[in-house]
Structures are given as structure tokens and as C-alpha cells.
Amino acid sequence: MKEWLRLIPAVHEYQQDNRFKHIMKENQIDFAQLSIHLKKIIEDIRTSILSQQWINSPPGTEDFNDEVFNQLEKYIKASYSPTLQRVVNATGTILHTNLGRSRLSDRAMDRVIDIAKNYSNLEYKLSEGERGSRHSHIEKLITEITGAESAMVVNNNAAAVYLILRAFAQNKEVIVSRGQLVEIGGSFRVSSIMEESGAKLKEIGTTNKTHLYDYEQAISAETAMIMKVHTSNFKIMGFTKTVDSQELIQLSNRQNNILFYEDLGSGALYDFRRFGIGEEPIVKEIIELGADLVSFSGDKLLGGPQAGIIAGKKTLIDKLKKHQLARVVRVDKMTLAALEGTLIDYVSGENGIKNIPTIRELFISKSELLGRSHNFIQELSDLSEHYSVKLVDGTSQVGGGTMPEVTLPTVLISFSHDLYTAEQLSKK
């Protein structure tokens, strides 16, 4: 084995090889960095030889040198290839959290590319020639769509919940119905976020029934807020009772210094109910009822980038903007660009809204899906005669922690292969 080690060429010999130069050029890696990787490959091979695990050609042969460069190339491709990759969503779930939820509209993507490639007026007022606020780029659009006095954006809705509770209810009581103490993805719970914020959770009612008098009896001198959490990722059926937002807003208005805040979660700016899809309240309705604050996600039913949007009374939003945590949870220029593009789609009317992929896909007809399915089957049959294919009626989900009770009619493609099992076909 030690004799073999002496036969391994020196690093500088490999560096002079055309294959080394080819790898360097193809992967756009400089000489020094590629040399570091080469030394690692050679050291791994030495270790393998000493442990008698090397089963390839012995050093000193051209096959051995080929193996060195093969391993180097594989290592480079594995190390420098992006792990975040484009995939096909064939799950039937439109807002699939594991697959990135909303896809952006063309307008939103154009805005991201333009702003990412160039300098921008992120925090600069062009007309006044002075420092500005990054919130200004989307605030006017959100207020126009929702009717709110003011608005701001943070990096996701959980951050929005945290910031609101921290700013207005630290060391104070927040009244929440037990039926709304939801757990969102990744085991994050509203109760836990509330605890981290410093607010004191005051649970009322039961899992399936909460009455207005439960809220009334829970109010004390320590109460800072009545909070309603939209149960967007589950549905309680049967013997149930909840208090609607209007009643809770009226109750908070009758009290001194008690805010009403609704976490709408899904962020519906478009009324899907008109088309018989779900029962999601639109943000504008809750604002018009007089809610002090609402928050919602950007990448669910809204159809934009991941973001937490806060809308409501100007005096409250101004306080949130100035809070020290606002900088901790703020969004970057690309998120703002994507969100601005998406919101412009909304204010452009029905044609603009239908350009948002999430919304467009919710309205795809079964006949269109049938046409797509036939095209897929034709391409599959052109590839190989070994496939057996049939169409099956089925249902799709909206997903992404929204509209849990909604199923959409769809067409499924069931296919098998003469030579492969289902598991083998799935891997291929």
C-alpha cells in the first residue's frame, strides 16, 4: 500500500493536465480554489488506499489519473450545483408548502429581475431628493385594495403576529378563543408565538364553542387586545359556535384602549366566494367593519412572495414602523418588488388578477385539464409503447394552510409500465 502512495503523481502534475484546465473553465472556478478541491480528492484516495478500500486502478496508470479527474469533476458538480431546483408539481395541491407555494406572475417576476439587476430607490424619494421609507412602495397599493388607512410588510405572517403582539400587548392580556389556537406548519403555534412576544394568553370558550359573553367576562384591567385567528388550515364541523368579527369589533370599541386584531392568515384580496370556492373572508371586509389591525400572508391566496402584510389604523401602523423589531423582520428589495408587481396585478382589474398563477389555477376548468391530460398521454405514448394509461376523475386541494374544506374537480392520469413496478417507475 505504501508503494502505491509513492506512485501517486504530485499535485502540480495534475494542475498542468488539460483536464484540470477544462474543469476550471467549465465550472468557472479559479486555479487556487480548484487546487484545494484536487488536494482533497487525492487525500481521500490516499486514505482509501491505506485502509485497503481502494478498488480502482493502481496509481501510476492512466486509468488511475482518469479516476482522479472523474472524482474531482463529480465533487465540483455536487458542490457548486444549486440545491434549490425547479420541479413539476403533480400533487394536485395548488399551494404546496413543500414545493414553494405561490408561483409569481410575469409582472411580479419582471419587477424582481429589474430591481435585482439594478440600483433602485429602495429608501429614497426621487421627487423630493431625500431619504425615504421602503414601506412606501407597497403601502399605497395595499391601502387602495383593502381600504385600510395604512400598511406595512414584514418577512412572513408569523413575524407580523409577533411584532403586533410585542408592540401592543407585551406584559398584557390577549383574549383568544380556544378554538382558534392553531398550529401552523413546522409545529409553530399561535400560543407559542404569543408567549415569545411577552403577551399573556387568556383562553376563553371551548374547542368547538365560544360565545360573546365569554369575551365579555374575560375583559379586565390587564386586557390589551381581543385577537381573532382565522382557522385557515383546519375546519371544525358539527356542534359549533364562533363570534363574528363585527361583534368583537363592537365589543372592543365599547372598552377603553382595547384593540381588535384579526390574523387572517390566508390573505384573500379576491372574493373567491362569488364563484363558489370556499368561504374565505376578504381583507377589505374586515377593515370596513372597523378592525384596528389585520395581518395576512403574501404567498397564499394573495399569490405573491412570502411576506407578512399588516394593514389597519394609521396611528398603530406608524408605531409598528418605528418599533425596534421592525428592522429585524423587514423584507428585502426583491420581496418588495415581487409584492409590488403582484399588487399592481390586483389594481389592474380582472384581467390583471387572472394573470396571477395561484388565482388562475384555482379557476382552471375541468375541460381544460382534460385537454392537458390528453396531450400528456399522447407524449407518453410517443415515448414508449410499454405504458398503459387511463384517465380517472378526482379532486385537488388549494393547500398551503388555506381553504381546508375546499376540493376542486380535476382529472388524474393513472399509468403503469410493462417492465417496471410502481416504485421503480416513480423513481425513474
Side-chain angles (χ1 to χ4, degrees), residues 367-398:
S367 60
E368 184 179 340
L369 293 173
L370 194 60
R372 290 186 187 182
S373 301
H374 283 303
N375 290 339
F376 180 88
I377 289 170
Q378 183 60 53
E379 291 193 28
L380 200 62
S381 60
D382 290 344
L383 285 174
S384 170
E385 61 184 18
H386 293 288
Y387 286 105
S388 297
V389 188
K390 63 178 179 179
L391 297 181
V392 183
D393 285 335
T395 56
S396 289
Q397 291 181 301
V398 180

Side-chain angles (χ1 to χ4, degrees), residues 275-287:
F275 304 93
I277 301 177
E279 299 174 357
E280 290 289 322
I282 56 173
V283 177
K284 187 173 185 177
E285 288 177 346
I286 309 303
I287 293 292

Side-chain angles (χ1 to χ4, degrees), residues 54-111:
W54 181 255
I55 58 174
N56 297 301
S57 302
T61 65
E62 191 55 36
D63 286 343
F64 176 84
N65 294 336
D66 287 343
E67 184 61 29
V68 170
F69 283 111
N70 285 339
Q71 290 197 21
L72 178 61
E73 197 154 22
K74 285 180 183 177
Y75 181 80
I76 293 301
K77 288 192 182 300
S79 301
Y80 288 80
S81 296
T83 57
L84 188 60
Q85 298 179 30
R86 174 178 174 171
V87 300
V88 173
N89 178 7
T91 65
T93 302
I94 295 170
L95 293 172
H96 200 299
T97 302
N98 304 132
L99 302 183
R101 283 192 185 159
S102 292
R103 295 186 297 123
L104 297 179
S105 69
D106 290 341
R107 193 197 301 268
M109 278 307 309
D110 288 343
R111 298 295 301 127

Side-chain angles (χ1 to χ4, degrees), residues 86 131 160 180 206 208 249 253 312 336 355 399 413 415 428:
R86 174 178 174 171
R131 184 184 175 95
Q180 296 168 10
T206 62
N208 62 320
I249 290 167
N253 288 341
L336 284 172
N355 286 329
I413 301 170
F415 62 98
K428 286 184 175 295

Side-chain angles (χ1 to χ4, degrees), residues 226-413:
I226 295 172
M227 180 180 178
K228 184 176 182 181
V229 183
H230 188 55
T231 54
S232 54
N233 61 355
F234 71 96
K235 188 86 172 175
I236 299 176
M237 308 294 286
F239 197 51
T240 63
K241 166 68 179 173
T242 59
V243 183
D244 63 39
S245 300
Q246 186 170 18
E247 290 181 285
L248 294 177
I249 290 167
Q250 291 170 349
L251 175 60
S252 68
N253 288 341
R254 294 197 297 269
Q255 311 298 319
N256 290 323
N257 301 317
I258 293 183
L259 300 177
F260 174 76
Y261 160 46
E262 184 156 355
D263 171 15
L264 282 167
S266 299
L269 299 182
Y270 188 72
D271 195 353
F272 298 98
R273 297 168 300 185
R274 290 189 293 135
F275 304 93
I277 301 177
E279 299 174 357
E280 290 289 322
I282 56 173
V283 177
K284 187 173 185 177
E285 288 177 346
I286 309 303
I287 293 292
E288 287 176 345
L289 289 174
D292 295 300
L293 291 166
V294 298
S295 70
F296 48 96
S297 295
D299 61 343
K300 292 184 179 179
L301 289 179
L302 193 150
Q306 177 181 296
I309 301 169
I310 305 171
K313 303 287 175 63
K314 188 177 186 307
T315 53
L316 302 176
I317 299 291
D318 286 345
K319 185 174 180 180
L320 290 174
K321 287 177 181 176
K322 294 173 184 176
H323 197 282
Q324 289 297 310
L325 282 175
R327 187 176 181 86
V328 176
V329 296
R330 75 179 186 180
V331 293
D332 72 335
K333 60 185 179 184
M334 288 180 283
T335 301
L336 284 172
L339 185 57
E340 183 181 40
T342 306
L343 294 173
I344 290 173
D345 282 326
Y346 274 97
V347 297
S348 300
E350 287 288 329
N351 289 336
I353 291 170
K354 293 294 175 65
N355 286 329
I356 299 171
T358 296
I359 295 177
R360 186 172 65 238
E361 288 168 4
L362 279 167
F363 288 102
I364 291 175
S365 66
K366 191 172 179 181
S367 60
E368 184 179 340
L369 293 173
L370 194 60
R372 290 186 187 182
S373 301
H374 283 303
N375 290 339
F376 180 88
I377 289 170
Q378 183 60 53
E379 291 193 28
L380 200 62
S381 60
D382 290 344
L383 285 174
S384 170
E385 61 184 18
H386 293 288
Y387 286 105
S388 297
V389 188
K390 63 178 179 179
L391 297 181
V392 183
D393 285 335
T395 56
S396 289
Q397 291 181 301
V398 180
T402 185
M403 294 188 182
E405 80 285 7
V406 174
T407 55
L408 303 169
T410 193
V411 181
L412 310 179
I413 301 170

Side-chain angles (χ1 to χ4, degrees), residues 42-55:
I42 292 173
E43 188 55 41
D44 288 346
I45 291 173
R46 286 177 179 274
T47 302
S48 183
I49 290 172
L50 284 172
S51 61
Q52 299 185 358
Q53 294 178 339
W54 181 255
I55 58 174

